[in-house]
Amino acid sequence: MQLVLSSWPEVESYLSRCRTIVIPIGSTEQHGPNGLLGTDAICPEIIAKKAGEEVDMLVGPTFNVGQAQHHMAFPGTITLRPSTMIAAMIDWAQSLSRHGFERIYWLNGHGGNVATITAAFSEMYHGITFSRSGANTPSIRCMLRNWWELHGVMDLCRQLFPTGEGSHATPSEVSVTYFAYPASQKRVVMTPKIAPHGPIRDAEDYRRRFPDGRIGSDPSQANVEAGEKIVAAAVAALVNEFRTFSAS
Ligand SMILES: [Zn+2]
């Protein structure tokens, strides 16, 4: 069940059964020569959507722009300042809380978002604690899970791509997007075949170190079949975690 494809009576009825919502959260940033700019938003979105087709789970709209400062030397990237992202996440959470949602499971697709998402949770809990007298039980609980850390997913990715997985524009994440949008696949010869590793600093430094945008990866290995397997593993794990979190 997707929030954007539901009517308000359907959401009201869902709330009578369940008070948990899943929000895919990602980024709009360069993903190398053959990766889609939406990769980090598309990956958690397709996993959550598929899970929401299998079980009674409401999936919210995708929070699809995040912390992408270091990718700004590549055209198409959009970034939020940490303070803007925290403010927007709080407004999303407060809107949902206003309707009776008590648990928000944020399924994240971008490692660079983690520190800011955690800071946003801290701001939310401060707001709750400061606004209520004598009650230390938060009225909303948040959970963060990076999709590649869902049970069994990382092992599967290593098995599918023993070399050239790397850390940015990985064959695994590109495969997931190719499974989601097969018509948007791009075949590009990569030179060097496996991209260099190195530290992440500002945008100009990034482009000097990683001229085509990849870090340590060979995403020319990406394929729809691998994406389908990764999504299936992630969906199974997400369904389990959603049930545990909802019952907590
Ligand atoms: Zn990514």
Side-chain angles (χ1 to χ4, degrees):
M1 184 176 176
Q2 288 183 60
L3 186 114
V4 295
L5 302 180
S6 304
S7 63
W8 72 260
E10 287 172 319
V11 174
E12 194 167 72
S13 148
Y14 176 86
L15 277 162
S16 70
R17 307 189 297 274
C18 180
R19 304 240 158 186
T20 309
I21 185 167
V22 176
I23 305 282
I25 184 165
S27 181
T28 300
E29 62 180 49
Q30 72 81 17
H31 266 76
N34 73 335
L36 315 185
L37 277 141
T39 298
D40 286 352
I42 292 167
C43 291
E45 184 176 83
I46 186 73
I47 293 163
K49 271 186 187 173
K50 295 275 178 199
E53 285 164 10
E54 280 188 17
V55 298
D56 191 22
M57 166 197 293
L58 184 63
V59 178
T62 301
F63 193 108
N64 61 7
V65 175
Q67 301 296 295
Q69 172 280 127
H70 50 287
H71 295 294
M72 284 300 291
F74 297 88
T77 300
I78 303 174
T79 191
L80 296 175
R81 283 170 290 179
S83 54
T84 312
M85 182 163 171
I86 290 167
M89 283 180 66
I90 291 171
D91 286 356
W92 282 46
Q94 287 188 337
S95 302
L96 294 165
S97 171
R98 171 75 175 72
H99 304 309
F101 287 96
E102 292 171 353
R103 285 171 181 74
I104 308 180
Y105 181 115
W106 301 81
L107 184 64
N108 179 42
H110 177 48
N113 281 347
V114 170
T116 305
I117 292 173
T118 306
F121 290 0
S122 196
E123 283 282 353
M124 285 176 209
Y125 294 144
H126 269 80
I128 291 161
T129 298
F130 288 161
S131 70
R132 301 170 80 212
S133 52
N136 279 329
T137 309
S139 59
I140 195 153
R141 290 181 195 180
C142 287
M143 169 169 171
L144 165 65
R145 175 65 70 213
N146 298 317
W147 70 262
W148 59 90
E149 287 173 346
L150 284 163
H151 183 72
V153 170
M154 193 86 89
D155 287 345
L156 176 61
C157 293
R158 284 201 196 102
Q159 199 183 309
L160 290 166
F161 303 109
T163 58
E165 172 70 357
S167 58
H168 184 68
T170 69
S172 297
E173 61 181 343
V174 175
S175 293
V176 169
T177 65
Y178 284 5
F179 167 65
Y181 295 98
S184 297
Q185 294 179 70
K186 298 160 213 313
R187 296 294 154 207
V188 179
V189 176
M190 310 268 170
T191 320
K193 187 146 173 60
I194 296 183
H197 286 277
I200 297 175
R201 294 184 180 131
D202 65 87
E204 304 311 321
D205 182 74
Y206 185 109
R207 187 153 180 173
R208 263 195 307 275
R209 287 174 191 278
F210 314 110
D212 69 5
R214 300 174 290 147
I215 303 180
S217 65
D218 171 20
S220 67
Q221 303 174 87
N223 63 86
V224 172
E225 296 71 27
E228 185 170 14
K229 287 179 189 158
I230 294 168
V231 169
V235 166
L238 172 59
V239 165
N240 278 332
E241 280 206 353
F242 173 81
R243 288 190 171 136
T244 307
F245 181 51
S246 295
S248 68

